[in-house]
């Protein structure tokens, strides 16, 4: 939003230079990106002149020699414009003036005659488009030598505002003036819509036009007025200059007035040539799918049924809230004008604008949602200008189709609430004054509180008490006057929940083991599932597609961390890393819950019921090369199944969790070198070495890793629920046993049988050896276990240990095993 400073000061003049004003506004929430300038770099050297005489140039047919009174002297100025005449009040640039294009004017000799200045056109001043003739000032009462800047915005400081979406009121100059009034206390001129235009037209508005709104949910209010005897022509220079300084191109007086009023009030409006609207009938309706219309920019637009059109009896004549059509455009032949000022559904305008790829100054305002009350304000200002500048006659009455006008918000503002949120008390009278300056209605309530009515300009912005506190705070001064305080917390102290503590502990353990943490994208390539060799019925193939992906490589949500880990490893190896040891902790996204799938949220629908989307938090790691860096003792062998299993064991040991393992057939893992992970009785993940085909797909020589759901891991963890026992001085009794079982019996089952049979006196059972060969027979294997027996209150006897050993022997027989003697 470009706000010419002279236009702003017309409504509120704080007496500050533009830079100081910009700083004050920025520090109170209305950000000024920069202070620019429209027109000439400086107004110095530009004055009002009076043409005393005009004579033909002795050496050029198309030039004239003018005597121009510039106040301090009568100067000779050579002019090439055909419309220069004696007695005119004109704009003159004296030698030394710098023109808007950057040229410094000096005395010049033109065909033998010295020209001591320059009579200027609108184009040369950049306040209009007329380059054919000089600018003749309408105010001929201005004395020669009067600074031209007092009549025209020839060198205009401009505030370039970055208006936040909630402050649609600051998309109008008067709204910004109200903001200046609030933050500086400078007087604010009465609203420009207080006075309406005189009614001089014949008949009633219903005799000329009618309005039918078929989509009231998308058009809360539609107003229209009719003007006759309209004289189309160029706008006066002050209006053209003001529009150009604000970034608008002057077109004609009627169109310029509509743009001027929009910039002043923040309410867009549109003018129709009434004679080009059959029977003066306007219909507001939804478009038909595929319906077409050519807009004012000459482009044919195609609509869908969610677009809203303003139509006449023959078809569309404008896109609601965005741009008018050529069919009813105001032209030089226009004599009757139908002025529309309406309110539209902001969300619909935003959607239609995006669909068409068409944004305008009007849509920028409408999409933020305007209040229906603003329509009459704009009608009044525009009506007065049409009468004054176009000689128009206003027909009595206003067509006003109202669907719904929201009731104003009335909010109680409690003094205690202000003090609690701001960290300091603000006296009630002062707070009431701040709000009144901003246009709020304020009444006293009780001894400390206020009852506040929100004006239409801020209806969709200020809806809660805390919004009022913010308004008071920013006007009071956030930068200098509010103290720095900590929020009051009473007796409460913050702390991490158990799962948060444990997740941090997991990350710390992985780093302590030598793993580097990576963070990969949650979006992956849809072809990842094929590269991982996932089967057709594998739920991890059913990734959630992104509606608007950044690229094909990020078109679905990940269902496993492995893809990101593989990409990270390949990238590091490609940059000459000799070993890569990485882990990632993050969420995956599954359409349906899996074992250990974590929390479930509503994301999609099957029929009328939400389909569950699982978002489990997982921990994954991948190692290529040795787990430990090379040292003088050797480079170490590449990590495989057992090294990664050992890392997981250390992690679980830190959490005091007990993992269980079983055979796995994951398609991306090497057969026979893969295992399932079970924790707290729940399937929790996988562990193993990469399948050679998968490793080759990422140009890796090998690799091993695991992926585990944190939910069952943290559930199984005793950490966070620590229990303590006294340190005992009684010694432990250690025994080694060898168990012979069938080759297909898992070692985990053997260990479970031993622990269950020995009871609470057996503190640990560790498998330390595996043997298969002739001594145990074909199809058999021997597992060696070290047992630790200990009692907390006595030294165990051989007889007690022997009884436990016999119990173990009987338990092993039940699984087809025996003790080797």
């Amino acid at each position: 939003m470009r706000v010419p400073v002279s236009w702003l000061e017309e409504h509120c003049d704080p007496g500050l230079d533009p830079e100081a004003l910009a700083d004050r506004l920025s520090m109170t929430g209305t950000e000024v990106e920069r202070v620019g300038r429209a027109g000439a770099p400086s107004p110095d050297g530009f004055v009002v002149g009076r043409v005393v005489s005009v004579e033909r140039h002795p050496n050029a047919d198309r030039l004239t020699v003018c005597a121009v009174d510039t106040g301090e002297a009568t100067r000779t100025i050579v002019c090439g414009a055909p419309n220069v005449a004696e007695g005119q009040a004109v704009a003159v640039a004296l030698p030394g003036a710098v023109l808007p294009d950057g040229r410094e004017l000096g005395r010049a000799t033109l065909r033998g005659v010295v020209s001591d200045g320059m009579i200027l056109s609108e184009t040369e001043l950049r306040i209009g488009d007329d380059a054919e003739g000089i600018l003749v000032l309408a105010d001929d009462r201005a004395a020669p030598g009067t600074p031209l800047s007092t009549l025209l915005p020839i060198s205009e400081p401009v505030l370039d505002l970055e208006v936040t979406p909630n402050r649609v009121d600051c998309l109008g100059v008067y709204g910004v003036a109200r903001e200046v009034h609030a933050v500086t206390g400078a007087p604010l001129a009465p609203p420009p819509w207080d006075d309406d235009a005189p009614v001089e037209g014949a008949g009633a508005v219903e005799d000329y036009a009618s309005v039918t709104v078929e989509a009231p949910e998308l058009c809360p209010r539609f107003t229209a007025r009719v003007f006759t005897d309209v004289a189309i022509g160029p706008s006066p220079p002050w209006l053209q200059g003001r529009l150009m300084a604000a970034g608008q191109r002057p077109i004609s007086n009627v169109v310029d007035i509509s743009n001027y009023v929009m910039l002043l009030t923040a309410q867009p409006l549109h003018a129709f040539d009434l004679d080009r609207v059959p029977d003066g009938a306007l219909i507001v309706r939804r478009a038909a799918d595929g319906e077409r219309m050519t807009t004012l920019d000459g482009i044919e637009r195609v609509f869908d049924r969610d677009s809203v059109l303003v139509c006449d009896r023959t078809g569309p004549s404008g896109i609601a809230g965005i741009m008018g059509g050529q069919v009813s455009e105001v032209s030089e032949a226009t004599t009757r004008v139908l002025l529309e000022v309406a309110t539209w559904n902001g969300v619909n305008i935003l959607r239609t604008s995006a669909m068409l790829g068409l944004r305008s100054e009007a849509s920028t305002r409408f999409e933020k949602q305007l209040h229906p009350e603003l329509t009459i304000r704009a009608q009044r200002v525009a009506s007065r200008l049409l009468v004054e500048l176009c000689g128009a006659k206003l027909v009595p009455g206003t067509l006003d189709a109202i669907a719904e006008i929201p009731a104003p918000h009335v909010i109680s503002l409690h003094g205690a609430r202000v003090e609690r949120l701001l960290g300091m008390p603000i006296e009630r009278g002062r707070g009431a004054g701040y709000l009144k300056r901003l246009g709020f209605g304020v009444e006293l309530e009780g001894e400390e509180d206020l009852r506040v009515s929100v004006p239409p300009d801020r209806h969709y912005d200020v809806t809660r008490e805390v919004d009022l506190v913010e308004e008071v705070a920013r006007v009071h001064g956030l930068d200098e006057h509010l103290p720095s305080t900590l929020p009051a917390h009473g007796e409460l102290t913050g702390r991490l929940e158990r799962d948060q503590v444990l997740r941090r502990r997991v990350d710390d353990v992985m780093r302590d083991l030598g793993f580097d943490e990576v963070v990969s994208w949650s979006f992956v390539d849809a072809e990842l599932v094929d590269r991982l060799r996932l089967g057709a019925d594998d739920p991890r193939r059913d990734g959630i597609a992104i509606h608007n992906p950044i690229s094909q490589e990020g078109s679905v949500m990940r269902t496993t961390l492995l893809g990101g880990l593989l990409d990270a490893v390949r990238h590091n190896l490609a940059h000459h890393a000799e070993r890569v040891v990485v882990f990632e902790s993050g969420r995956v996204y599954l359409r349906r819950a899996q074992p250990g799938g974590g929390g479930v949220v509503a994301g999609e629908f099957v029929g009328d019921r939400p389909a569950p989307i699982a978002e489990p938090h997982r921990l994954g790691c991948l190692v290529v090369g040795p787990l430990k860096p090379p040292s003088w003792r050797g480079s170490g062998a590449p990590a495989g199944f057992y090294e990664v299993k050992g890392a997981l064991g250390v992690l679980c040991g830190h959490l005091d969790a007990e993992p269980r393992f079983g055979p796995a057939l994951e398609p991306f893992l090497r057969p026979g070198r893969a295992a399932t992970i079970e924790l707290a009785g729940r399937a929790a993940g996988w562990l193993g070495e990469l399948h050679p085909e998968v490793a080759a797909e990422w140009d890796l020589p090998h690799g091993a890793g695991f992926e585990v759901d944190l939910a069952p891991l943290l559930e199984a963890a005793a950490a966070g629920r620590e229990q303590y026992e006294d340190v005992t001085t009684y010694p432990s009794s250690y025994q080694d046993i060898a168990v012979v079982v069938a080759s297909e019996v898992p070692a985990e089952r053997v260990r479970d049988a031993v622990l269950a049979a020995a009871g609470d006196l057996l503190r640990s059972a560790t498998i330390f050896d595996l043997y298969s060969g002739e001594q145990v027979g074909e199809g058999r294997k021997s597992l060696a276990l070290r047992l630790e027996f200990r009692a907390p209150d006595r030294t165990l006897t051989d007889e007690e240990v022997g009884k436990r050993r016999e119990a173990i022997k009987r338990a092993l027989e039940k699984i087809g095993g025996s003790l080797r003697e």
Side-chain angles (χ1 to χ4, degrees):
M1 174 72 182
R2 290 170 56 87
V3 180
V5 171
S6 65
W7 194 359
L8 181 64
E9 291 177 345
E10 184 178 293
H11 301 285
C12 182
D13 185 359
L16 301 173
D17 62 67
E19 287 73 19
L21 177 58
D23 182 66
R24 187 76 181 106
L25 287 172
S26 295
M27 296 308 297
T28 52
T30 308
E31 182 181 354
V32 180
E33 284 194 322
R34 67 186 185 93
V35 179
R37 185 170 288 275
S42 168
D44 297 339
F46 294 90
V47 299
V48 174
R50 178 82 59 185
V51 180
V52 177
S53 64
V54 178
E55 298 178 358
R56 293 177 61 87
H57 193 290
N59 302 317
D61 293 338
R62 296 184 179 181
L63 298 180
T64 56
V65 179
C66 304
V68 182
D69 181 4
T70 58
E72 85 294 355
T74 298
R75 298 172 180 265
T76 299
I77 299 177
V78 177
C79 179
N83 66 327
V84 65
E86 182 179 329
Q88 291 174 335
V90 294
V92 176
L94 304 177
V98 180
L99 300 177
D101 60 8
R103 291 180 297 151
E104 182 176 348
L105 191 66
R107 288 183 174 84
T109 301
L110 301 175
R111 295 292 185 94
V113 176
V114 176
S115 181
D116 194 20
M118 183 178 184
I119 303 176
L120 302 167
S121 67
E122 291 179 356
T123 303
E124 289 161 336
L125 283 171
R126 290 191 180 172
I127 60 170
D129 293 333
D130 186 4
E132 297 300 321
I134 60 168
L135 170 64
V136 180
L137 301 177
D139 187 358
D140 57 7
R141 293 171 298 175
T146 301
L148 191 59
S149 58
T150 61
L151 302 180
L152 297 173
I154 60 167
S155 179
E156 178 76 6
V158 177
L159 304 182
D160 202 341
L161 304 183
E162 180 65 29
V163 181
T164 55
N166 62 311
R167 293 301 306 275
V168 66
D169 59 304
C170 286
L171 289 174
V173 172
Y174 192 79
V176 179
R178 186 189 296 112
E179 194 73 10
V180 173
H181 164 65
V183 301
T184 66
L188 178 67
W193 49 82
D194 277 359
D195 297 326
D196 206 345
V199 178
E200 298 178 351
V205 67
E206 291 81 6
D207 301 333
Y208 296 84
S210 64
V211 173
T212 303
V213 178
E214 297 179 358
E217 73 280 7
L218 301 178
C219 179
R221 191 172 194 179
F222 191 103
T223 69
R225 284 183 171 181
V226 171
F227 299 84
T228 62
D229 299 334
V230 179
I232 302 296
S235 298
W238 69 265
L239 177 54
Q240 294 191 46
R242 189 159 280 179
L243 288 177
M244 293 187 73
Q248 293 282 320
R249 181 175 66 87
I251 297 174
S252 68
N253 49 8
V254 171
V255 177
D256 292 350
I257 287 169
S258 66
N259 288 330
Y260 177 86
V261 174
M262 175 186 67
L263 294 173
L264 176 62
T265 66
Q267 168 68 56
L269 48 163
H270 182 70
F272 295 86
D273 185 333
L274 183 58
D275 293 321
R276 300 173 71 178
V277 179
D279 299 326
L282 293 180
I283 303 101
V284 178
R285 61 170 174 82
R286 290 178 180 267
D289 281 326
E291 193 167 7
R292 298 170 179 268
M293 185 193 76
T294 301
T295 46
L296 289 172
D297 55 5
I299 299 175
E300 186 179 56
R301 312 282 179 178
V302 182
F303 310 105
D304 60 19
R305 73 173 315 276
D306 288 326
S307 304
V308 181
L309 301 177
V310 179
C311 308
D312 57 35
R313 298 193 187 281
T314 62
S317 60
I319 311 172
I322 300 177
M323 185 175 286
Q326 289 184 341
V327 65
S328 57
E329 180 181 6
V330 171
S331 67
E332 293 180 357
T334 299
T335 59
R336 299 194 304 168
V337 168
L338 177 63
L339 185 66
E340 166 230 312
V341 188
T343 305
W344 307 100
N345 180 283
V347 175
N348 178 265
I349 296 298
L350 179 61
R351 180 215 164 268
T352 303
S353 177
M355 185 270 292
L356 296 174
L358 175 63
R359 286 180 62 83
S360 63
E361 287 284 347
S363 68
T364 298
R365 290 162 172 79
F366 280 127
E367 69 190 21
K368 296 172 176 59
Q369 194 56 62
L370 300 180
H371 193 281
E373 288 289 349
L374 306 186
T375 56
I376 296 301
R377 294 182 179 182
Q379 282 283 14
R380 289 180 172 181
V381 180
S383 297
R384 193 171 64 250
L385 289 172
L386 284 168
V387 170
E388 293 176 1
L389 303 182
C390 306
K393 293 182 179 179
L394 172 62
V395 174
T398 300
L399 297 176
D400 194 356
I402 304 175
E404 180 183 1
I405 295 183
H409 299 304
V410 179
I411 306 169
S412 292
L413 178 61
H414 302 92
R417 176 75 164 161
V418 174
E419 182 176 356
R420 184 163 65 253
L421 289 179
L422 301 185
M424 66 170 290
I426 292 183
E427 193 269 329
R428 181 170 69 165
R430 176 173 290 186
Y434 294 153
L435 293 172
K436 287 178 180 178
R437 288 191 216 164
L438 288 168
F440 293 86
V442 181
E443 297 178 1
L444 302 183
E445 188 175 57
E447 295 183 358
E448 298 181 356
D449 304 335
L450 300 173
R451 186 173 178 81
V452 181
S453 302
V454 180
D457 316 73
R458 307 295 301 278
H459 181 82
Y460 300 100
D461 172 28
V462 178
T463 59
R464 305 168 299 167
E465 182 184 22
V466 69
D467 298 329
L468 293 175
V469 175
E470 180 184 1
E471 295 300 301
V472 171
R474 67 185 188 83
V475 176
H476 186 72
L478 295 169
D479 52 336
E480 296 179 358
H481 301 118
L482 286 182
S484 299
T485 59
L486 293 174
H489 57 77
E491 300 300 322
L492 300 178
T493 56
R495 65 185 180 197
L496 298 176
E497 295 181 354
R498 174 179 180 271
D499 283 2
Q500 293 174 312
V501 172
L502 294 181
R503 280 203 299 269
R504 295 187 181 194
R505 187 177 299 181
V506 167
D507 293 348
D508 290 341
V509 171
M510 294 299 291
R511 283 188 286 267
D512 291 344
L513 288 171
F515 288 81
D516 294 316
E517 184 174 10
V518 298
V519 179
S520 58
W521 291 105
S522 296
F523 312 135
V524 297
D525 193 336
E527 297 180 357
L528 174 66
V529 293
D530 295 323
R531 300 175 70 190
L532 291 177
R533 307 174 71 248
L534 298 181
D537 58 347
D538 194 316
R540 290 170 295 190
R541 288 191 69 90
D542 195 14
I544 301 168
I546 306 300
H547 289 301
N548 56 340
I550 299 174
S551 66
Q552 178 60 33
E553 290 73 21
S555 59
V556 297
M557 303 297 289
R558 66 186 179 190
T559 58
T560 174
L561 299 179
L562 183 55
L565 291 169
L566 287 165
D567 290 340
V569 170
R570 180 178 61 180
H571 177 82
N572 282 274
L573 291 178
H575 288 75
H576 312 296
E578 296 181 358
R579 54 182 287 276
V580 183
V581 183
V582 294
F583 83 96
E584 180 170 9
S585 177
R587 294 192 179 276
V588 299
Y589 305 88
L590 305 168
R591 283 194 183 276
R592 51 187 181 273
Q594 293 182 326
V600 173
V601 298
E604 296 188 351
F605 286 81
V606 178
D608 60 350
R609 300 186 63 186
I613 302 297
E615 298 184 23
H617 196 120
R618 290 186 175 173
L619 173 72
C621 76
L622 190 59
V623 183
V624 174
L627 191 58
K628 293 184 178 180
S631 69
W632 61 273
R633 292 188 173 185
S635 58
F641 176 88
Y642 292 104
E643 288 77 13
V644 173
K645 182 173 180 287
L648 179 60
V650 172
L651 172 63
C652 291
H654 275 272
L655 299 177
D656 203 12
E658 188 71 30
R660 298 176 61 85
F661 302 95
L665 294 174
E666 290 285 7
F668 46 81
L669 297 181
R670 183 176 177 181
R673 295 295 182 94
T676 61
I677 305 170
E678 183 179 304
L679 289 158
R682 296 167 57 186
W686 55 263
L687 178 149
E689 298 179 10
L690 290 178
H691 193 287
E693 291 184 7
V694 173
E697 184 71 26
W698 272 268
D699 301 321
L700 308 182
H702 50 76
F706 65 76
E707 184 172 338
V708 60
D709 279 320
L710 284 183
L713 175 61
L714 302 186
E715 181 182 338
R721 300 188 294 262
E722 287 86 357
Q723 296 181 3
Y724 301 90
E725 62 180 358
D726 290 338
V727 177
T728 179
T729 59
Y730 298 101
S732 297
S733 176
Y734 293 94
Q735 289 195 7
D736 291 345
I737 62 173
V739 181
V740 179
V741 292
S743 297
E744 64 271 13
V745 177
E748 195 75 35
R749 187 177 178 189
V750 173
R751 182 173 178 272
D752 288 345
V754 170
L755 289 170
D760 58 358
L761 292 182
L762 180 60
R763 304 307 299 265
S764 66
T766 306
I767 299 174
F768 65 89
D769 191 28
L770 168 66
Y771 170 77
S772 59
E774 296 180 359
Q775 296 184 24
V776 295
E778 186 176 354
R780 309 283 287 178
K781 64 183 177 183
S782 175
L783 295 170
L785 291 84
R786 172 156 293 180
L787 310 180
E788 179 191 5
F789 296 93
R790 189 177 75 233
D793 56 353
R794 66 189 185 279
T795 300
L796 293 176
T797 65
D798 291 341
E799 182 180 358
E800 288 178 299
V801 175
K803 289 180 180 180
R804 302 292 178 174
R805 185 183 178 97
E806 287 299 319
I808 291 172
K809 183 177 180 179
R810 291 191 297 270
L812 292 173
E813 290 174 352
K814 294 179 181 180
I815 63 172
S818 61
L819 290 178
R820 290 178 65 190
E821 300 297 339

